[in-house]
Amino acid sequence: MTDAEDRKPQSDEVRMAFAPPAGVEVADSESETTSEFAVPAGLDVTHAPVPEAEGSAFDSPRTYSAKDAPAAFTPATGIPVVSLTKDAPWQDRMRTILRLPVTERPAPEPAQKPDESGPAVPRVLDLTLRIGELLLAGGEGAEDVEAAMFAVCRSYGLDRCEPNVTFTLLSISYQPSLVDDPVTASRTVRRRVTDYTRLAAVFRLVDDLSDPETEISLEDAYRRLAEMRRNRHPYTTWTLTTASGLLAGAASVLVGGDVLVFVAAALGAMLGDRLAWLCAGRGLPEFYQFTIAAMPPAAIGVALTVAHVDVKASAVITGGLFALLPGRALVAGVQDGLTGFYITASARLLEVMYLFVGIVTGVLVVLYFGVNLGAKLNPDAALQIAERPWWQIGASMLLSLTFAVLLQQERSTVLWVTLNGGVAWSVYGALRYPGELSPVASTAVAAGLVGLFGQLLARYRFASALPYTTAAIGPLLPGSATYFGLLAIAQNDVDKGLVSLATAASLAMAIAIGVNLGSEISRMFLRIGSPEKRRAAKRTRGF
């Protein structure tokens, strides 16, 4: 056999990819098919026995060793330090911290001095939930409620807490560290009461708790909270009824009414308010209360038309609607949606829809019978609203003042919100009539100024912005568009009625978005001792 034949492969086995090259000696103990993942010789891979008992879900992994942990990674640019200006309102400081991940939040500087044994965590969480309940029940936005709850916990040294706010449920969770079990508490909001005086008192309590120079123990905080609950509303029921009548009369003047219309609208609204109080005392749901309260103003307007009294019936009915439209809940609902609290926003807007349907039902029933009785109601009267600047500015200020009384505001805020309402109507009238701008755009701009001025006043006084904005949007509410839409439907002109109701819905959304946009502009560009920019949620579509 020749040398070439000796070098020729004899079988498929020697043509394997793992066959050693010619001239390389292979030890007897080493396999030709050894994997590259095989443990090298001399390395001890024995492990300590693992106990079968299971620990907490928050225990450190068994394969983790603090002694042999790798070095922490630090970005080349360093870890940014969040600096908070102490002179800033606590709302801004807490919003900034809540937008940060838990691991990036700055260490707290407790304003209160806890006991040596540490803060009583269950009691702090309970106090936090009670404060959040009063704020949410008073109509405060979900973002501000979360900020207040976080401020209370942080003032007592509980920094690793996560508040959660929905329309009817408040919850908060506190976890001392990654290896400790969290403590969670919740509270249900079952009753909502509009009382901005109580709302302002709660804000003052949170402001005092957040002040590092003020020491308030848990007992003192509970005592102040109990006093807020025991305090009566600043205005009596008959004062509220009178304010409701004056509000309806002022609204009727805004849409072209005279003295007789003012009196008729005021009487209708007062009668509807007393009927609503009677229904509330009997435990009737709010839907039926709004339905019954909307009937007297509409009935008086129809009765004056049937009696051939030379009076503007549309202004009477429109004035009664102004006293019922749920502007407060609408603004809060849109604000929650724009700030990312979609569940709470959906619930608030659903509440607005039910209340609005109740008003529509009450007015539509009266208009239907009035049309069948021969009442000559003119839907084209919407185009005949007289321009009386000075009368309308005075009426808008009276409307804002009475609206503030209905919201149970503090007397010190009534003057400011009255002026804010007058400015809002002046801007709307200037843009709508001389400027010939569309009603929706004019309403949005005026509402934006209301939100801007309200936020500035709130930041100056370290208080909630609601008392300075809610009543000021009263003159802008779409009462006339709502009435003429219902009248067209009652007269079997459904298409025209739906268009008018769609206009009313557009005006309502313009009010809510304008108020929220004005507030955000004040936070972005007019920072009065505010901290660094609040982080916003990234958009969920696109890149």
Side-chain angles (χ1 to χ4, degrees):
M1 184 179 293
T2 63
D3 295 340
E5 291 176 349
D6 291 340
R7 292 193 299 269
K8 182 179 179 180
Q10 299 299 320
S11 67
D12 293 339
E13 224 177 293
V14 297
R15 291 198 296 269
M16 291 175 58
F18 298 100
V24 177
E25 295 182 1
V26 180
D28 296 338
S29 60
E30 187 174 353
S31 174
E32 294 182 9
T33 58
T34 299
S35 169
E36 61 181 350
F37 300 102
V39 179
L43 180 64
D44 185 11
V45 294
T46 58
H47 298 281
V50 179
E52 297 181 358
E54 292 292 336
S56 170
F58 298 94
D59 289 345
S60 301
R62 296 188 179 94
T63 57
Y64 174 80
S65 174
K67 180 185 296 185
D68 301 328
F73 172 74
T74 303
T77 57
I79 299 176
V81 178
V82 179
S83 59
L84 300 175
T85 307
K86 293 184 178 179
D87 296 334
W90 61 264
Q91 299 99 311
D92 288 344
R93 288 187 279 121
M94 295 306 113
R95 287 192 192 99
T96 301
I97 299 176
L98 275 175
R99 292 286 183 175
L100 296 173
V102 177
T103 55
E104 297 181 15
R105 292 175 182 173
E109 297 179 3
Q112 321 306 324
K113 296 179 180 179
D115 299 333
E116 295 181 357
S117 58
V121 174
R123 295 196 67 197
V124 172
L125 298 185
D126 178 70
L127 175 67
T128 302
L129 290 173
R130 291 178 183 273
I131 289 177
E133 178 190 11
L134 288 180
L135 292 175
L136 189 63
E140 192 61 72
E143 185 182 32
D144 292 322
V145 175
E146 278 197 359
M149 295 173 64
F150 188 73
V152 175
C153 283
R154 193 174 175 83
S155 65
Y156 286 102
L158 309 185
D159 61 322
R160 301 180 64 88
C161 61
E162 289 294 340
N164 187 22
V165 176
T166 58
F167 187 58
T168 57
L169 182 65
L170 298 170
S171 63
I172 188 165
S173 178
Y174 170 68
Q175 186 178 2
S177 65
L178 292 176
V179 296
D180 291 326
D181 296 334
V183 180
T184 304
S186 62
R187 191 173 184 87
T188 303
V189 180
R190 303 187 183 278
R191 188 167 179 264
R192 302 177 184 277
V193 180
T194 304
D195 189 344
Y196 282 2
T197 300
R198 181 179 296 173
L199 188 70
V202 176
F203 263 76
R204 283 194 294 269
L205 174 59
V206 178
D207 186 32
D208 292 340
L209 289 173
S210 304
D211 187 2
E213 298 180 358
T214 304
E215 182 179 351
I216 301 177
S217 63
L218 280 172
E219 288 71 18
D220 292 338
Y222 269 109
R223 177 183 54 78
R224 290 178 58 175
L225 204 59
E227 290 176 355
M228 296 175 199
R229 290 181 175 276
R230 285 197 302 264
N231 286 344
R232 294 180 176 274
H233 300 306
Y235 307 104
T236 63
T237 56
W238 280 104
T239 302
L240 299 179
T241 300
T242 305
S244 178
L246 293 176
L247 188 153
S252 67
V253 174
L254 279 179
V255 294
D258 53 14
V259 176
L260 182 59
V261 170
F262 181 95
V263 175
L267 290 177
M270 292 172 67
L271 180 59
D273 183 77
R274 295 317 302 177
L275 290 176
W277 277 101
L278 180 63
C279 295
R282 298 294 186 273
L284 207 61
E286 275 190 313
F287 176 87
Y288 302 106
Q289 295 177 30
F290 275 78
T291 301
I292 294 173
M295 288 183 175
I300 291 179
V302 171
L304 291 174
T305 304
V306 173
H308 302 289
V309 179
D310 188 13
V311 69
K312 199 170 184 179
S314 61
V316 176
I317 301 175
T318 299
L321 289 178
F322 265 87
L324 298 174
L325 293 177
R328 171 184 58 85
L330 173 68
V331 172
V334 174
Q335 179 183 357
D336 288 342
L338 295 176
T339 52
F341 295 85
Y342 300 114
I343 296 178
T344 307
S346 301
R348 288 187 190 271
L349 294 178
L350 186 62
E351 179 190 35
V352 171
M353 187 192 72
Y354 272 105
L355 298 181
F356 187 77
V357 170
I359 297 171
V360 167
T361 302
V363 176
L364 200 56
V365 168
V366 175
L367 291 179
Y368 178 79
F369 283 106
V371 170
N372 289 336
L373 291 175
K376 302 298 182 180
L377 299 172
N378 182 18
D380 296 329
L383 305 176
Q384 304 171 3
I385 297 178
E387 298 180 22
R388 301 174 298 174
W390 297 111
W391 280 98
Q392 290 176 330
I393 291 175
S396 65
M397 295 178 68
L398 177 61
L399 192 152
S400 298
L401 187 149
T402 52
F403 202 170
V405 173
L406 289 176
L407 294 174
Q408 303 279 2
Q409 290 190 197
E410 291 181 307
R411 291 174 173 82
S412 60
T413 64
V414 171
L415 175 61
W416 293 107
V417 74
T418 301
L419 295 176
N420 203 4
V423 171
W425 180 262
S426 300
V427 172
Y428 169 80
L431 296 176
R432 177 70 183 94
Y433 300 114
E436 297 182 353
L437 201 63
S438 68
V440 176
S442 303
T443 301
V445 174
L449 288 178
V450 168
L452 177 63
F453 294 154
Q455 191 63 229
L456 289 177
L457 289 170
R459 292 164 71 87
Y460 174 73
R461 292 172 172 250
F462 291 83
S464 171
L466 287 181
Y468 301 101
T469 57
T470 305
I473 65 172
L476 304 176
L477 293 175
S480 58
T482 303
Y483 161 68
F484 289 113
L486 298 179
L487 177 59
I489 293 175
Q491 294 179 343
N492 293 325
D493 193 351
V494 179
D495 293 339
K496 187 176 181 180
L498 291 179
V499 169
S500 185
L501 290 179
T503 302
S506 301
L507 292 173
M509 292 297 293
I511 292 172
I513 295 175
V515 170
N516 181 264
L517 182 60
S519 300
E520 294 298 330
I521 289 175
S522 69
R523 292 172 183 163
M524 288 174 59
F525 300 107
L526 303 176
R527 300 184 184 178
I528 306 175
S530 63
E532 70 171 34
K533 185 184 299 184
R534 179 186 66 172
R535 293 190 180 183
K538 294 182 178 179
R539 54 185 177 182
T540 56
R541 293 179 176 84
F543 53 87

